[in-house]
DNA sequence: TCTTGATTTGACCAACTGGTCAAACCAACG
DNA sequence: CGTTGGTTTGACCAGTTGGTCAAATCAAGA
């Protein structure tokens, strides 16, 4: 289905998406301008619109690419593995995502903050289905006495909240920590937190 | 120092701040327009600018009002109280703030997401000082064996993250939960989480 | 080299942006 | 009732916004 791409197309589309990610993740959709993105991508505005038909199109492409990878860590949580290891592994993978892809995290945060106008449906269908499925697994684990009996949905929310916080509120975290690096301490803390919470 | 205010001034300024809170908290500073705010406030744009000299002024007024009350729950954490009760009380107060003032929470989230251009200094001074002070108290508690030995800064971050998540990602939380109410479950979960984490 | 299709751009547009201003309006007090 | 000072507005402005288009430029295969 993909059309063949010239090298120039690949390079410019990549540059536009990267620039768009920088801008959109900082200012949100409405707060970002094509001129900003074009300049960040090193292209003229008409040239940018030669590769993407509209501002919306760039944003949609970014969101689509994001959602694909964003849910992977949760999908990877394995029913047959050791429960506590699986949950803690998920939390650590999600934290690594915040550390390595903070812009994507902020893009997502901006979208949801603004009421998720572009992805409300995905949240209510795909995401909900995935979460309900994994929540059922966790529930089964607690009923088998393998992890503590806590609400699985709120457990998952807590992992999202804690990990995304380090990407989305990066400025605040760093302002408070001074020059200490955030992620090492976060990783240790997460470990202790869920170790203690989940022990049956 | 306050100038005397007519009833009309009070009503209109309040209307503008309320409308501004609605708009800014959803679209961020750059994504919001004076026309939107004016319409939401039921005023014409020139009339709005009769009460506030600029878009910035409305935003600043909101942020100032917010910061005042936003830090109160942390300030109220009492060195002389029972450690675990104090920390869990703080978490619950912060959660109540998210439930009762979600727009304020999102206004703050938008500001920090965009790099905190208007409040970077407050974060690096007032906030840092307050957090360092409370972190020292928590550290003393753990050294006295009254609470578990966890990094106090990351403990505080975790409370911020978990409570703000329910306001800032409200759309996502509700999409996943379906028609279940979020805050009751959140309160119970928070309680279990910190009870288990903090027990020495 | 020449041609063809991909790429790039300057000029342009209508709608919208934050903000101004003089004139009109209105409430209340003497 | 008339005046005075607070209030409201229509018309307006310069700069910015997302987007268009024809013409110019370029890359690469025949």
């Amino acid at each position: 289905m993909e059309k063949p791409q010239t090298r120039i197309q690949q390079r410019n589309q990549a540059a536009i998406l990267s620039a768009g990610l920088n801008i959109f993740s900082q200012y949100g959709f409405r707060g970002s301008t094509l001129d900003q993105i074009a300049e960040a991508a090193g292209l003229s505005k008409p040239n940018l619109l030669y590769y993407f038909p509209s501002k919306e199109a760039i944003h949609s492409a970014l969101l689509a690419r994001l959602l694909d990878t964003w849910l992977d860590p949760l999908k990877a949580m394995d029913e047959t593995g050791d429960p506590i290891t699986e949950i803690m592994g998920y939390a650590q993978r999600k934290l690594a995502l915040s550390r390595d892809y903070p812009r994507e995290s902020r893009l997502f945060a901006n979208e949801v903050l603004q009421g998720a106008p572009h992805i409300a449906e995905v949240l209510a269908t795909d995401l909900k289905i995935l979460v309900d499925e994994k929540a059922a697994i966790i529930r089964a684990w607690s009923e088998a006495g393998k992890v503590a009996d806590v609400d699985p949905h709120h457990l998952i929310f807590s992992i999202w909240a804690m990990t995304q916080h380090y990407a989305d509120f990066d400025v605040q975290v760093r302002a408070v920590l001074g020059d200490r690096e955030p992620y090492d301490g976060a990783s240790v803390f997460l470990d202790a937190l869920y170790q203690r919470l989940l022990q049956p």
Side-chain angles (χ1 to χ4, degrees), chain A:
Chain A
M1 274 282 97
E2 273 108 47
K3 287 171 192 158
Q5 293 212 328
T6 68
R7 256 162 276 133
I8 293 179
Q9 277 173 4
Q10 286 192 335
R11 170 170 51 81
N12 283 348
Q13 285 192 4
I16 291 168
L17 287 176
S18 170
L21 182 56
N22 279 329
I23 305 298
F24 282 135
S25 68
Q26 195 169 24
Y27 300 109
F29 181 74
R30 295 183 40 166
S32 304
T33 72
L34 285 180
D35 292 283
Q36 279 180 292
I37 298 172
E39 195 193 327
L43 299 173
S44 67
K45 188 168 57 170
N47 198 11
L48 182 152
L49 286 164
Y50 171 72
Y51 289 100
F52 288 87
S54 69
K55 185 183 174 184
E56 282 259 355
I58 303 173
H59 192 248
S60 294
L62 284 169
L63 275 183
R65 215 181 52 170
L66 165 65
L67 284 172
D68 259 353
T69 60
W70 215 239
L71 298 179
D72 276 351
L74 182 52
K75 284 186 185 142
M77 206 176 77
D78 181 11
E79 190 172 4
T80 68
D82 171 63
I84 292 187
T85 310
E86 285 298 322
I87 295 173
M88 305 221 338
Y90 171 48
Q92 293 290 345
R93 281 195 301 278
K94 199 81 177 37
L95 183 64
L97 227 54
S98 277
R99 191 207 324 120
D100 300 334
Y101 301 96
R103 297 176 305 170
E104 279 82 351
S105 182
R106 286 194 279 269
L107 180 71
F108 185 77
N110 259 307
E111 171 69 10
V112 177
L113 254 184
Q114 304 189 2
H118 304 94
I119 58 167
E121 231 184 279
V122 184
L123 298 186
T125 57
D126 296 4
L127 178 66
K128 178 170 167 43
I129 289 169
L130 176 63
V131 172
D132 283 345
E133 181 195 317
K134 297 301 181 181
I137 294 177
I138 296 174
R139 172 140 291 140
W141 283 339
S142 17
E143 280 168 4
K146 291 180 181 164
V147 300
D149 180 35
V150 294
D151 185 307
H153 284 92
H154 288 280
L155 172 62
I156 291 171
F157 293 158
S158 81
I159 293 173
W160 291 350
M162 302 231 11
T163 55
Q164 297 229 165
H165 185 81
Y166 288 94
D168 302 344
F169 290 76
D170 182 75
V171 181
Q172 183 183 231
V173 167
R174 289 182 195 275
V176 168
L177 285 184
D179 47 9
R180 289 162 54 200
E181 193 277 337
Y183 283 98
D184 293 340
S187 176
V188 171
F189 181 84
L190 268 195
D191 225 74
L193 181 72
Y194 288 112
Q195 192 75 49
R196 282 163 167 267
L197 173 66
L198 295 171
Q199 220 57 246

